[in-house]
Structure formats: C-alpha cells, structure tokens
Amino acid sequence: MSSLVAYEDSESEDENFELNMARTSTQTESCYEKQQVTAWKSSGVEPSLHSFIPQAARSAQDFHKTIPKGNTSSLYCHSQPLNLASPYCCDNTAATHLCSDSRAPLNVGETEGRLSSLQRLPHIIQRSDNRLKSSKRLCSDLSGVRPYMPKRQRLGTVAAMEDSKFTGEQTKSNQTTESPILSGVSERIRHYIDEKLGVAGIPRKLLMSLGGHQGPVNTLQWSPIPHLSHLLLSASMDKTFKVWDGAESGRCLRAYTCHTGAVRDACWTPCGRRLLTGSFDNTAVITDVETGQQVGRFDNQFKVMCLGLHPSIPETFLCGGYSSVVKAWDSRCSKVVKLYKASIQQTLDILFLRGGVEFITSSDCVSRDSADRTLIAWDFQTTAKLSNQIYHERYTCPSLALHPLEEAFVAQTNGDYMAAFSSQKPYKMNKRRRYEGHKVEGYAVRCQFSLDGGILASGSSTGSAYFYNYHNAHLLHTLHAHRQACLCVSQHPVLPATAATCDWAGEIKLLLPVG
C-alpha cells in the first residue's frame, strides 16, 4: 500500500526502473566491447580507431581529424581534451582515459580500455540525462503532496495562521469608517437631562430585544455621561464587547474585537470616551470608543474575571481573576504599582468603597465551618488586609454593589439572597435586610442600585428581573424577560423606569415603564 506522505530522500518507482535499465544497458555495452576486441585480435585486421568513436563525441571533441594509421603501438590520443566540465560527464573512468594529453605510445591493453571508454561515453550522457528527467518528473509529481510535518510544528503553524487572521480582522474592523458615536445626543434623553433627580420607577414591559452576541452576555453598563447615556456597553463570552444605542433605535453602533478570549468584565471610564475590559486571554485592555483603537494593553498572566476603577484616580484600576493576587495597574506607564496577596484561589468581584481608600474583594474560598475569607477588606495604599471576618455564612458572593448615597454595600450570594453590609469598619452585616426571592444557582448574577439608591435590582437563574425596595427589602416587582438565566439588570441613570437586561443565551432586552 502506497503512502500519501512524501519524504525528501525517497525515490519514485519510475526513477528506480530507469536506473536499473541504465545499469543493464551499461553491462550489455561492456560485453559488446569485449566481443569486438576479441574479434579484432582473432582476425588480425587492425580496425580504425575512428570507427569506435561515437558521432556525438566526434563532433563535440574534434575527433573528425585524421588519426595516424599503422601499427597499434603508434596510436596516440588526440591532444585536444574532451569537455569534461559538462554536467553529463559523470563517469570517472571515462574522464581518466579521455583527458590524457600524453604522447606516449599505447599498447594493446590501453587501446582496448580507451576504445571501451569512448564507446561508453554516449551511454553515460544518455544515462545522466535520464536521471535529470526522472528527477524533474518526480518533483512535478510531488507538487500536490504535502510533506510530512510533526504534530507540534503543525499545531504551531495553525495557531500562527489563526493569530494573523485575527489580527487582520481586528484591524479591518477597527479601521472601518463608521458614523461618530460620541457626537450626537438622543432626543429622548435630552428631555430628561435638565430635570432634577426624582424617584426611580420600575420598568413594567419589554421594549425591544437586541441580538448580536454569540455567547452569554456577562455585564451591561450605561454611559456615565448624562448626554451620552443612551450608549449601552455589553461584554460577552464570544470574545467581543459592543456599544449599542439603547435609548432609541437599539442598533449596534460598534463591535470591538480586542480580545482572543471571553470578555468577562467591562466598564466605562469616567470621561465616557474609553472602555476598560478584562478577558480570559489574561489581559485588560483600554479601548477608544470612537476609533476602536487600543490605548493600552495589560498582561496579568491570569484569566481576568473582574475589574475595579479607582474613583479618585481614573488612571489606576484593579484586576482580579484566577489567581490569589489582585494587581493594581497605572495605565499611564502600563506597570503594576501594587500587589494584594491572599491565600485564595480566585477573585470573583472587586468593589471600591467611597473615596477609594479601601476596597472589598469577593473570593470563592469557603472553609469547612465558615466563609471567613469570602469577603476581604483591603487598604489600597498599604496593601494590608483590614478584615476577613465580614461574611460568616457558607456561600460565595459572585457580585458586589455599592449604594450611591449611603455608607453601605450589598453582596449577591449563592444562598439565593442578597446581604447588606456597612462600608465602615468593621463592615457589619445588616441582618434585618435580606433581599430574597430570586435564585442564583451558581450563575454569576449581578446586582445594581438605581441612581437614587431606592431600588435594588437583580437578575436570576430563572430568567426574571427582580426589583426590591432597598430600605425595607420588600420585593416590588418581577418581570420575566428571558428564557435562560438573566445575568445582569442595569438601570438607566437618566431615563426613569428604564433598564436593560442580558442573559446566558447572548440576548439583550430593554425594559420600559407602562404607557
């Protein structure tokens, strides 16, 4: 059975056949030469040397000149040597006899050798020519066969091709000329910008569904700039993050492909012109909203699951993920300025407290009897642990949310409830406020406050959006928005009773008040 893999040092069957034929022909010619010499000796007739020289050799090497006749002992080889520099002349024996310039008399044995060499010359040329043709035919036959390549090298080549393809698609996507994103103000939002902050309402119906992501959407966030708050940011496990017109048309304004892994977290910078994203490709990226170009790229050497922008120093942010270390980056110099080390496996969420002097991290570390390291308070400047005795129940907390007005924060727990804590030392849990009724069931369900802090919203594993009264922990309304798990509910900072939700199937929906 013939192999489909070609090796460089292998020979085709045709080439072997031709070489064997050439060897057989050479042996036949040698026998013929011996017979001719034997006949010459027995007959006693002295043949002409000219008759033994092939026509091709005579014309090329001037053997048409007269050769002395008479006794064989007076024969001389012609003084002009053959052109043995030709690539066809590859027989060493023939070269030795034909290149001699000696005028010494030749005896019968030497004459026999030279006659034999001269007769073999055209066959040597023909044999070399056949080899050359066989080599060329072999190369042409193997032009469509891929050479063998080791598996490791083959995988490396495929990865390099994918990287180059991804880079080309990213450049093409980012350099595509599109309409400006930050230039216009939505007419719907313009009406509410100058109004005083009122009581937040509760959305009651679905406005539209936004499709475009091919994987679960992990988070949603409206632009923090009031006149640009119609822009909605989404981050997905399909390795992209997008900006939508969430107030009117619902169309995708731009898709960003800066990551090669799932985008786990994303947020707007305070200026509203840049986006900070964290991905499973171990990087955090700052991207310009308008141009789509990367402003900075930060390699954390672990999968990034959560980000935290410093409220007072916008150039500084925290990265946490599949590591026991939380890193503080300075985007101006692209360097790690601080490290926060804890004996945990991964960080699920990061929350800066008011002023940015302290922050809280949530981990998946649960001991046998308590969860004393599930929530850890840190000093930002000294990197010291302030407390790890904040939450004592045996549930992990996938997300955290800071109250916009009061000194408090809440933690979403896998116990199917949200717990409230004081943001002042010693960070006591408020046991009177327990927001329950929704289910989490292991999903990274996020929770968020309204701008006035009166309503606490949460997604659920059942696909519904839940709205609670923050002050008395009563459930105000439940809106079934998705068929799969609802991972985030983001309330609009300007429009009353307006929110956006996302789910595990990659769908985004806009919720509005009745009327």
Side-chain angles (χ1 to χ4, degrees):
M1 180 175 177
S2 61
S3 175
L4 295 180
V5 182
Y7 296 87
E8 294 179 358
D9 56 348
S10 62
E11 295 180 351
S12 65
E13 296 178 0
D14 293 339
E15 184 184 12
N16 291 333
F17 176 77
E18 292 182 3
L19 292 177
N20 291 332
M21 291 295 295
R23 295 190 186 100
T24 305
S25 176
T26 303
Q27 294 173 0
T28 305
E29 293 160 9
S30 179
C31 293
Y32 175 77
E33 293 165 4
K34 291 181 179 179
Q35 292 174 3
Q36 291 293 326
V37 173
T38 304
W40 165 54
K41 288 181 179 180
S42 61
S43 62
V45 180
E46 184 174 312
S48 173
L49 180 62
H50 192 75
S51 62
F52 284 90
I53 303 176
Q55 180 64 34
R58 291 201 302 269
S59 59
Q61 306 298 332
D62 294 332
F63 274 106
H64 60 278
K65 297 182 180 180
T66 304
I67 300 177
K69 296 182 179 180
N71 193 350
T72 54
S73 61
S74 63
L75 291 177
Y76 293 92
C77 184
H78 196 272
S79 60
Q80 183 177 357
L82 293 175
N83 182 15
L84 296 179
S86 171
Y88 296 102
C89 190
C90 55
D91 191 283
N92 294 332
T93 305
T96 304
H97 290 293
L98 295 176
C99 288
S100 174
D101 288 337
S102 173
R103 291 280 182 173
L106 300 177
N107 55 31
V108 176
E110 293 175 346
T111 303
E112 292 178 5
R114 298 209 177 175
L115 291 175
S116 176
S117 300
L118 289 173
Q119 276 203 328
R120 290 176 55 195
L121 179 60
H123 298 288
I124 293 171
I125 295 173
Q126 183 64 30
R127 184 173 59 185
S128 301
D129 194 21
N130 291 340
R131 287 184 179 178
L132 182 61
K133 290 179 180 179
S134 299
S135 177
K136 290 181 178 180
R137 184 166 60 254
L138 177 62
C139 294
S140 63
D141 292 342
L142 297 181
S143 60
V145 181
R146 290 188 305 174
Y148 172 76
M149 183 182 295
K151 182 177 180 181
R152 181 175 300 177
Q153 182 179 355
R154 189 165 62 249
L155 294 177
T157 304
V158 172
M161 292 175 61
E162 292 180 351
D163 291 343
S164 62
K165 180 179 178 182
F166 168 75
T167 304
E169 291 177 353
Q170 174 182 344
T171 304
K172 182 178 179 181
S173 174
N174 292 341
Q175 292 181 353
T176 302
T177 56
E178 300 179 8
S179 58
I181 298 177
L182 305 177
S183 59
V185 180
S186 173
E187 293 297 330
R188 185 179 173 208
I189 292 177
R190 190 190 303 273
H191 177 71
Y192 294 95
I193 289 178
D194 297 330
E195 292 186 2
K196 294 182 179 180
L197 182 64
V199 179
I202 299 174
R204 302 285 181 176
K205 68 175 183 178
L206 298 176
L207 172 64
M208 67 179 71
S209 177
L210 311 180
H213 282 295
Q214 304 301 318
V217 180
N218 295 309
T219 184
L220 296 172
Q221 189 179 38
W222 299 95
S223 173
I225 308 302
H227 70 276
L228 296 176
S229 59
H230 64 286
L231 301 177
L232 178 65
L233 170 64
S234 64
S236 172
M237 300 292 282
D238 64 2
K239 306 178 184 179
T240 66
F241 54 101
K242 301 183 178 183
V243 173
W244 309 76
D245 181 3
E248 294 184 1
S249 66
R251 66 187 182 94
C252 178
L253 301 178
R254 185 155 301 176
Y256 306 88
T257 56
C258 300
H259 292 286
T260 58
V263 184
R264 186 62 175 78
D265 199 4
C267 61
W268 296 83
T269 58
C271 65
R273 296 185 174 275
R274 294 179 177 178
L275 305 172
L276 174 63
T277 54
S279 169
F280 281 178
D281 63 4
N282 300 348
T283 64
V285 174
I286 298 179
T287 308
D288 188 276
V289 176
E290 197 70 79
T291 64
Q293 299 298 319
Q294 295 183 22
V295 180
R297 193 175 190 88
F298 314 92
D299 186 8
N300 291 272
Q301 299 179 348
F302 58 79
K303 294 181 179 180
V304 180
M305 293 191 63
C306 52
L307 301 167
L309 271 173
H310 197 285
S312 303
I313 312 173
E315 298 83 10
T316 303
F317 62 92
L318 301 177
C319 286
Y322 284 84
S323 174
S324 60
V325 177
V326 175
K327 295 183 178 182
W329 289 88
D330 189 332
S331 60
R332 294 167 293 188
C333 59
S334 299
K335 292 183 178 180
V336 178
V337 292
K338 295 181 185 298
L339 291 175
Y340 306 87
K341 299 180 181 180
S343 54
I344 57 176
Q345 293 183 354
Q346 58 180 302
T347 302
L348 303 179
D349 201 6
I350 299 174
L351 177 68
F352 270 104
L353 301 181
R354 210 155 329 271
V357 179
E358 304 163 2
F359 67 92
I360 307 292
T361 60
S362 172
S363 73
D364 66 341
C365 183
V366 178
S367 62
R368 180 182 301 178
D369 300 324
S370 66
D372 56 354
R373 289 175 292 175
T374 300
L375 298 180
I376 302 176
W378 302 84
D379 186 285
F380 175 76
Q381 291 295 335
T382 64
T383 71
K385 293 180 185 178
L386 300 178
S387 177
N388 61 357
Q389 303 291 324
I390 300 175
Y391 183 60
H392 299 283
E393 298 188 26
R394 297 178 59 187
Y395 299 111
T396 56
C397 302
S399 67
L400 306 170
L402 181 67
H403 195 280
L405 302 177
E406 298 183 8
E407 297 294 334
F409 69 93
V410 297
Q412 181 80 265
T413 73
N414 276 308
D416 296 336
Y417 69 91
M418 291 179 285
F421 299 86
S422 171
S423 59
Q424 301 287 336
K425 296 177 183 178
Y427 316 106
K428 288 184 178 181
M429 184 175 71
N430 190 338
K431 296 183 180 180
R432 297 181 180 180
R433 294 182 182 178
R434 191 182 179 98
Y435 308 89
E436 52 189 357
H438 62 285
K439 292 185 178 296
V440 178
E441 297 180 339
Y443 286 97
V445 177
R446 295 177 179 265
C447 54
Q448 190 186 63
F449 283 99
S450 61
L451 196 60
D452 64 351
I455 297 176
L456 177 61
S458 172
S460 69
S461 61
T462 59
S464 299
Y466 288 78
F467 299 89
Y468 296 90
N469 185 312
Y470 168 71
H471 300 286
N472 55 27
H474 289 170
L475 178 62
L476 300 176
H477 183 64
T478 301
L479 183 61
H480 187 71
H482 301 276
R483 295 181 179 179
Q484 297 197 34
C486 178
L487 301 181
C488 181
V489 180
S490 180
Q491 302 182 74
H492 200 280
V494 176
L495 297 177
T498 302
T501 61
C502 61
D503 68 0
W504 189 256
E507 191 176 28
I508 301 172
K509 292 190 176 182
L510 301 179
L511 312 180
L512 293 177
V514 176

